[in-house]
Amino acid sequence: LQDREALAAYGTAFKAVSQLLREGRSFSGHERNCAFPNCRGAPFANVSAATGLDFADDGRAIALTDWDHDGDLDLWVRNRTGPRLRLMQNQTIDADSIGPDKSSFVTLRLRGTDSNRDAIGARVSVGLSPATPSDDGASRSEKLPLADLVQTLRAGDAFLSQSSKWLHFGLGGATTIDHVSVRWPSGKTQRFTEIKPGGRYLLVEGDDSPTRAAEQKREI
């Protein structure tokens, strides 16, 4: 008798939940999405409303990619409620207007040969060169070594989502890339020295010459 009552209660609850789903109700109570940028040592700041990300969607997944190929990362957001998919185009910074060489990023795609073809598990380090003073004295940065930028290529980096396999590095105020080092899943380490800011490059395991991809900006 108790088993039948428990089964009946479960069936009633399941029907109620199914009805709520059909009506587009929220699992999380319509909690608005949040965005918290890293303030470099200070507490994280809540810029949810300013960025336009504070939708009352039931968000389930997020993927990062430079969708329009303009040098900054855009967001694809997957929701349980409608709209099921949102593209949030990053328009906070115009990459074409930053830096003396009008570049503030580099994007890298890896291809394994001895390693798996997608090079999942590879660790990439971008070594930056410090800015040098210009002839008119506009920049007086001391020649101090800059910290390397490091990323690991992963398969599945968020809940129910996979960001682009193009590794995107924001370079900040750096205007020169000294080198790019790749530690492949096979255990080999490779160093590339012909990579410049503002480009998209294919790096192939065992080939020391990076291939620059053609510019393909998307209009949205």
Side-chain angles (χ1 to χ4, degrees), residues 53-131:
L53 288 170
D54 60 338
F55 297 105
D57 303 330
D58 271 358
R60 288 295 179 269
I62 188 170
L64 305 177
T65 181
D66 183 4
W67 184 254
D68 49 9
H69 294 177
D70 66 346
D72 53 34
L73 289 174
D74 308 300
L75 304 177
W76 281 102
V77 183
R78 173 72 167 85
N79 305 303
R80 189 194 63 77
T81 52
R84 292 296 181 88
L85 195 63
R86 290 185 187 270
L87 170 62
M88 301 300 298
Q89 186 179 5
N90 187 346
Q91 296 179 329
T92 57
I93 297 177
D94 181 4
D96 291 336
S97 65
I98 296 177
D101 63 352
K102 303 189 183 304
S103 303
S104 61
F105 71 97
V106 68
T107 307
L108 307 173
R109 183 73 164 91
L110 308 183
R111 180 183 297 165
T113 52
D114 293 335
S115 306
N116 63 85
R117 182 176 174 81
D118 286 336
I120 301 299
R123 188 171 178 85
V124 180
S125 174
V126 176
L128 303 178
S129 297

Side-chain angles (χ1 to χ4, degrees), residues 160-175:
L160 299 177
S161 66
Q162 167 67 62
S163 295
S164 172
K165 292 188 179 69
W166 284 90
L167 295 178
H168 182 96
F169 293 85
L171 304 182
T175 59

Side-chain angles (χ1 to χ4, degrees), residues 12-209:
T12 300
F14 183 81
K15 290 179 181 178
V17 171
S18 298
Q19 180 62 31
L20 292 175
L21 292 176
R22 286 192 292 269
E23 294 175 0
R25 301 293 183 89
S26 171
F27 273 150
S28 57
H30 293 290
E31 298 174 357
R32 305 192 73 85
N33 295 335
C34 299
F36 298 96
N38 187 338
C39 297
R40 298 183 180 181
F44 283 77
N46 188 342
V47 296
S48 309
T51 59
L53 288 170
D54 60 338
F55 297 105
D57 303 330
D58 271 358
R60 288 295 179 269
I62 188 170
L64 305 177
T65 181
D66 183 4
W67 184 254
D68 49 9
H69 294 177
D70 66 346
D72 53 34
L73 289 174
D74 308 300
L75 304 177
W76 281 102
V77 183
R78 173 72 167 85
N79 305 303
R80 189 194 63 77
T81 52
R84 292 296 181 88
L85 195 63
R86 290 185 187 270
L87 170 62
M88 301 300 298
Q89 186 179 5
N90 187 346
Q91 296 179 329
T92 57
I93 297 177
D94 181 4
D96 291 336
S97 65
I98 296 177
D101 63 352
K102 303 189 183 304
S103 303
S104 61
F105 71 97
V106 68
T107 307
L108 307 173
R109 183 73 164 91
L110 308 183
R111 180 183 297 165
T113 52
D114 293 335
S115 306
N116 63 85
R117 182 176 174 81
D118 286 336
I120 301 299
R123 188 171 178 85
V124 180
S125 174
V126 176
L128 303 178
S129 297
T132 54
S134 59
D135 293 337
D136 59 3
S139 173
R140 301 189 180 280
S141 302
E142 296 183 7
K143 285 201 171 186
L144 299 176
L146 300 180
D148 289 357
L149 305 175
V150 180
Q151 290 191 49
T152 299
L153 183 57
R154 305 179 187 278
D157 52 1
F159 178 68
L160 299 177
S161 66
Q162 167 67 62
S163 295
S164 172
K165 292 188 179 69
W166 284 90
L167 295 178
H168 182 96
F169 293 85
L171 304 182
T175 59
T176 305
I177 296 175
D178 180 71
H179 67 276
V180 171
S181 178
V182 180
R183 189 181 69 194
W184 299 94
S186 64
K188 298 178 181 178
T189 299
Q190 199 169 354
R191 185 182 177 96
F192 301 87
T193 58
E194 300 177 2
I195 295 177
K196 298 180 179 180
R200 295 163 56 86
Y201 292 87
L202 171 65
L203 308 183
V204 179
E205 184 177 12
D207 185 349
D208 293 333
S209 299

